[in-house]
Amino acid sequence: KYLLVFDFDETIINENSDDSIIRAAPGQELPEHIRQTFREGFYNEYMQRVLAYMGDQGVKMGDFKTVYENIPLSPGMPDLFQFLSKNHELFEIILISDANMFGIECNLRAAGFYSLFRKIFSNPSGFDKKGYFTLGPYHSHKCLDCPANMCKRKILTEYLAERAQEEVEFERVFYVGDGANDFCPSVTLTSADVAFPRKGYPMHRMTQEMEKKQPGAFQATVVPWESAAEVARYLQEVLKK
């Protein structure tokens, strides 16, 4: 069996869903005083403030749901998902995302691909008594390269360890992502594995920089993609072997 790991924002979907939900805000924008509270590495806390503001403005669950359901999938992603549906027994598929559970579920259910995923790891979210959309951090960690609320490397290594205890060993790991926080887990991949960074996005640039600075340090095969149909084609070739 193969393990296939997906990121969500700007990988499965063609936008950053945290930016997308601003479409549900009054005037489809945030006031400057909220925007100025953003600090690098503390995006989750920033989004908590954004959501509190939107709750104050009367934005309801249904408004958020509509936005999430209408975010377009990335080019070729439906093709890749169709291919995976047909070969479901060969792939174990998980999603690791710094977005939030509610948004991911809304989007994948609307697109019809929610059942493909064995497990989704993302920040906990829901609606409180007042009907405000709430968001929490996923976990805490000691990685210096990742945002305070999530290190995907930690999630992936713990998942592989847990599956090994359940006597599930993967022949190869495939990782599809785009961001700097996808680069962190992809560094742990072995020479048998494949990293699929979205072309021209931070993960792709970081793999190129690492290859320049320390040739051979990044062990996985790197297959950049513009359309996820390219990922499907690559996996199809793997199955033929």
Side-chain angles (χ1 to χ4, degrees):
K1 231 186 181 182
Y2 302 114
L3 178 66
L4 184 52
V5 186
F6 277 95
D7 163 53
F8 182 66
D9 286 326
E10 295 185 293
T11 297
I12 288 178
I13 57 170
N14 208 25
E15 297 177 6
N16 177 330
S17 59
D18 286 338
D19 295 338
S20 306
I21 58 168
I22 307 307
R23 293 203 279 273
Q28 304 203 346
E29 58 181 6
L30 294 175
E32 191 54 39
H33 72 266
I34 299 229
R35 288 210 303 265
Q36 284 181 348
T37 65
F38 172 68
R39 287 187 307 146
E40 197 61 54
F42 294 91
Y43 199 79
N44 185 267
E45 285 177 25
Y46 168 71
M47 280 310 294
Q48 291 174 27
R49 291 189 291 275
V50 169
L51 294 174
Y53 162 78
M54 291 177 77
D56 288 341
Q57 299 302 309
V59 183
K60 297 274 184 286
M61 177 174 161
D63 306 321
F64 287 109
K65 192 166 179 278
T66 302
V67 172
Y68 283 125
E69 287 177 346
N70 289 296
I71 299 173
L73 297 180
S74 289
M77 201 50 72
D79 303 343
L80 174 54
F81 284 160
Q82 297 291 353
F83 164 78
L84 293 171
S85 303
K86 287 192 189 99
N87 298 281
H88 203 241
E89 67 293 345
L90 301 171
F91 295 95
E92 180 162 307
I93 307 169
I94 64 171
L95 197 165
I96 309 178
S97 163
D98 199 4
N100 70 79
M101 287 304 281
F102 175 77
I104 292 171
E105 285 185 15
C106 287
N107 182 272
L108 292 177
R109 284 185 197 282
F113 297 115
Y114 180 72
S115 61
L116 273 181
F117 296 87
R118 179 177 185 267
K119 195 135 192 216
I120 294 173
F121 300 90
S122 190
N123 299 302
S125 60
F127 291 83
D128 67 11
K129 286 193 198 69
K130 290 192 294 187
Y132 282 34
F133 190 7
T134 61
L135 175 68
Y138 180 76
H139 61 187
S140 57
H141 60 83
K142 296 186 173 66
C143 174
L144 300 174
D145 299 320
C146 286
N149 63 297
M150 179 176 283
C151 170
K152 293 186 178 186
R153 181 195 305 210
K154 185 180 183 194
I155 296 172
L156 181 57
T157 31
E158 284 172 0
Y159 184 79
L160 290 168
E162 181 192 308
R163 293 304 274 145
Q165 276 188 314
E166 292 158 359
E167 295 183 7
V168 178
E169 296 282 350
F170 299 104
E171 212 174 306
R172 305 171 77 176
V173 177
F174 300 106
Y175 194 108
V176 188
D178 76 291
N181 63 352
D182 297 310
F183 177 71
C184 183
S186 68
V187 173
T188 64
L189 300 176
T190 70
S191 55
D193 305 329
V194 183
F196 294 97
R198 191 169 182 181
K199 208 174 274 181
Y201 283 71
M203 180 187 178
H204 184 212
R205 288 196 295 274
M206 290 165 88
T207 52
Q208 290 172 313
E209 281 160 22
M210 189 172 194
E211 192 46 49
K212 263 197 209 108
K213 284 186 196 141
Q214 307 159 265
F218 192 88
Q219 292 184 19
T221 302
V222 179
V223 180
W225 59 279
E226 275 175 0
S227 162
E230 299 163 60
V231 178
R233 278 198 293 276
Y234 189 95
L235 296 176
Q236 216 156 0
E237 289 305 312
V238 169
L239 298 189
K240 280 180 191 160
K241 292 170 186 147

